[in-house]
Amino acid sequence: MKISGLALLLTSWSLVTLSASAQNGEKVYKMYCTGCHGADLKGTPAGTSLLAENLKYGNNPADISQSISNGIPNTTMIKWSNALPVHEIGELTDYILGVRKSQPPQEKSTETLTFSTQDYTLKVEKLVTEGLVFPWGIEFVDAHRALISGNKGELYWVVDGKLDPKRVTGLPFIYGTDLVGGMMDLALDPKYSENGWIYFAFSHNPKNTADKTSPAMTKVVRGKIKEYQWVEEETLFQAPDSLLVVGGTRWGSRLLFDKEGYLYFTTGDMQQSIAEGINPQLPSRAEGKIFRIYPDGSIPTDNPFYGKEGTLQGIYAVGTRNVQGLAEHPVTGKIYFTDHGPKGGDEVNLLKNGGNYGWPVITYGVNYDNSRITSLSAKEGMEQPLTYYDPSIAICAAEFVTGDLFPKWKNQLLITALKDQEIRRLVIEGDKLISQEVILKGMGRVRDVKIGPDRALYVLTNSPDALLRITPQ
């Protein structure tokens, strides 16, 4: 079939136009979208992957443009027609469609089994690669068994490195799994071998409904597992109805028992609550806090707001955004935490009784659309981070190295990154960061890391969902 010169010219012009449109769309994407959907379109905790085979709100150009223009109520997807002209929304749509079409068929990549670091060559074993759904936290019950929390509302047993096919039943209703919430971290009572108490945090609304407009907040409970059944549940923290947040995201939540037996847990700033004011700064509100309580839920009398009317007396520190890492130094007993910040605002902090960590009054970051949150990065009476990450790494878990398997790293802090798919080793002296090194990269979004009974590093990843074991080669 012959193609006329005019048709050929029109075809060439069309391809050039599409190419220019995609290039402009890429610029718009990088400026406004990477914070939620990732530089590679594979998603972050704040936003879904745009490379999924079937997008929830439609795959065709009209559906994608509509989602961008109108936003999606009760999610982190705002209405972009207020900020972007129609032609840029069209160019952004073209770019997303172009990247989706260019994706090669999914093939199993060659496994990387070793990583070289300054001190060790690390061997990585993939213990569990199937059966886990969005694993969040891991705790070892003994030398043979571990419990893993699943974001969608599961508790998994791992026995001798293998996933137990039987599931724990009778768990509470888990809300907000599509609002950057769900079931989050878990912890074992320091006297677990005697009393069997297991603690975990989860997104909760009192109506136990999936309705995204239902007021909700992070909740902390404890209970026991008997023959795969969750029993004897007790509520340790549940915000009053008057303090619940509608449509909020960013729930926290990491749990830690210190050497003295106190239970620390974190709550996120709930994102949409920020529009109402500076709630993480207010001791009368639950958002953006680090709490300290006794294992039975009672309040230590040396908490900073103990006995003060109109406050939540379990609060230990205020002004955090989304703390997902807590770790106690094995020698000094000082507690360090990671705060998952905005774009360019991830932090590592030293926890202080009554400390104010500034959010959202001060920050080194900006909103995901590059708009300013505040003009301040420091203010009297507010703590400064030991270090912060710009660009953000999507900081998550924290764990100190103990035992004799990694003697050169003993008492050094490990932090994990979701977006950058990393584990970093930090050398800290008091409130000073001396140096850091990336020791693992590219194995998935690193959600949690724990030193096991054998002193190996056990790592939970998302995308892919897996449990890894790391040892020196």
Side-chain angles (χ1 to χ4, degrees):
M1 182 175 65
K2 293 183 178 180
I3 301 176
S4 70
L6 177 60
L8 185 61
L9 179 63
L10 289 173
T11 301
S12 300
W13 177 86
S14 176
L15 289 172
V16 170
T17 302
L18 281 174
S19 176
S21 175
Q23 288 176 2
N24 292 335
E26 183 178 12
K27 292 179 182 177
V28 175
Y29 182 87
K30 288 181 177 179
M31 183 172 293
Y32 298 110
C33 307
T34 56
C36 286
H37 297 290
D40 52 8
L41 281 73
K42 292 181 180 179
T44 74
T48 57
S49 169
L50 298 178
L51 302 181
E53 183 176 352
N54 292 302
L55 297 175
K56 186 173 182 180
Y57 299 96
N59 295 342
N60 64 51
D63 292 332
I64 294 173
S65 290
Q66 184 175 4
S67 295
I68 297 170
S69 298
N70 300 335
I72 301 170
N74 301 314
T75 73
T76 57
M77 184 64 182
I78 67 172
K79 183 177 179 179
W80 283 101
S81 60
N82 294 333
L84 298 177
V86 172
H87 73 89
E88 287 191 351
I89 290 176
E91 291 163 351
L92 179 56
T93 300
D94 289 343
Y95 171 67
I96 292 170
L97 288 168
V99 176
R100 286 174 58 81
K101 290 177 182 177
S102 69
Q103 293 304 297
Q106 292 294 321
E107 296 181 2
K108 202 164 187 179
S109 60
T110 303
E111 294 186 354
T112 302
L113 297 178
T114 60
F115 285 85
S116 296
T117 72
Q118 292 176 10
D119 301 309
Y120 303 102
T121 297
L122 302 180
K123 176 185 176 182
V124 180
E125 300 173 75
K126 294 186 175 183
L127 297 183
V128 180
T129 58
E130 296 181 358
L132 293 173
V133 179
F134 210 129
W136 218 101
I138 181 170
E139 290 288 345
F140 284 87
V141 171
D142 54 37
H144 300 282
R145 297 181 300 153
L147 269 174
I148 293 176
S149 59
N151 176 261
K152 306 303 180 184
E154 301 271 13
L155 278 178
Y156 303 92
W157 281 112
V158 174
V159 182
D160 291 326
K162 296 181 180 180
L163 188 65
D164 188 333
K166 294 184 68 175
R167 297 287 179 267
V168 177
T169 60
L171 294 165
F173 175 80
I174 304 298
Y175 172 72
T177 59
D178 53 352
L179 292 171
V180 203
M183 182 181 282
M184 293 169 285
D185 201 22
L186 77 163
L188 302 181
D189 194 285
K191 299 180 180 178
Y192 174 82
S193 61
E194 301 172 20
N195 58 37
W197 285 118
I198 300 164
Y199 302 71
F200 67 82
F202 63 104
S203 307
H204 168 75
N205 68 71
K207 295 181 180 179
N208 286 333
T209 173
D211 182 2
K212 293 180 182 179
T213 65
S214 181
M217 179 56 67
T218 302
K219 180 177 179 177
V220 179
V221 300
R222 71 176 181 178
K224 302 177 182 180
I225 298 175
K226 295 184 177 179
E227 296 181 352
Y228 295 93
Q229 180 73 25
W230 179 253
V231 297
E232 300 181 37
E233 180 177 297
E234 297 179 359
T235 297
L236 304 183
F237 172 79
Q238 181 174 340
D241 289 354
S242 61
L243 299 184
L244 302 181
V245 177
V246 175
T249 64
R250 298 199 293 259
W251 307 74
S253 175
R254 195 63 70 177
L255 277 61
L256 172 73
F257 274 103
D258 72 1
K259 294 178 181 179
E260 297 181 0
Y262 295 111
L263 173 61
Y264 296 79
F265 66 90
T266 71
T267 57
D269 70 356
M270 301 298 287
Q271 182 176 322
Q272 290 184 230
S273 71
I274 300 299
E276 303 169 8
I278 53 171
N279 292 344
Q281 291 288 314
L282 305 177
S284 59
R285 301 286 308 187
E287 305 100 308
K289 306 296 192 302
I290 298 176
F291 289 79
R292 183 181 72 155
I293 60 177
Y294 286 114
D296 63 359
S298 58
I299 310 298
T301 58
D302 62 341
N303 273 12
F305 300 102
Y306 183 83
K308 295 183 180 180
E309 189 175 350
T311 67
L312 297 177
Q313 298 179 28
I315 292 174
Y316 192 75
V318 305
T320 60
R321 183 179 183 270
N322 197 18
V323 174
Q324 295 185 13
L326 284 171
E328 182 182 24
H329 193 285
V331 177
T332 67
K334 292 181 177 180
I335 294 175
Y336 297 80
F337 68 89
T338 60
D339 198 353
H340 189 127
K343 187 176 181 180
D346 292 340
E347 297 181 357
V348 178
N349 287 283
L350 175 62
L351 180 61
K352 298 179 181 180
N353 188 337
N356 184 340
Y357 294 87
W359 179 258
V361 177
I362 63 173
T363 180
Y364 286 95
V366 296
N367 283 312
Y368 293 122
D369 62 1
N370 286 329
S371 62
R372 179 179 288 184
I373 298 165
T374 171
S375 61
L376 301 176
S377 58
K379 187 175 181 179
E380 186 176 354
M382 295 181 175
E383 304 295 332
Q384 282 290 301
L386 277 67
T387 190
Y388 68 94
Y389 295 93
D390 185 8
S392 297
I393 61 173
I395 200 166
C396 194
E399 176 81 340
F400 277 98
V401 179
T402 57
D404 56 7
L405 194 59
F406 298 92
K408 294 180 181 179
W409 293 353
K410 193 169 184 179
N411 301 332
Q412 295 179 4
L413 181 65
L414 303 179
I415 62 170
T416 76
L418 300 171
K419 178 175 70 71
D420 282 13
Q421 299 189 13
E422 294 176 349
I423 299 178
R424 294 188 177 215
R425 175 180 63 87
L426 276 57
V427 180
I428 293 174
E429 293 180 4
D431 59 355
K432 302 292 183 184
L433 174 65
I434 307 303
S435 64
Q436 60 181 302
E437 177 195 15
V438 175
I439 64 169
L440 182 81
K441 191 172 181 70
M443 298 292 290
R445 297 164 61 82
V446 187
R447 180 64 61 175
D448 199 10
V449 59
K450 281 289 191 305
I451 302 294
D454 58 357
R455 302 309 183 188
L457 304 181
Y458 287 82
V459 179
L460 288 180
T461 64
N462 304 143
S463 301
D465 295 332
L467 172 63
L468 313 177
R469 179 177 180 266
I470 300 177
T471 53
Q473 190 177 42

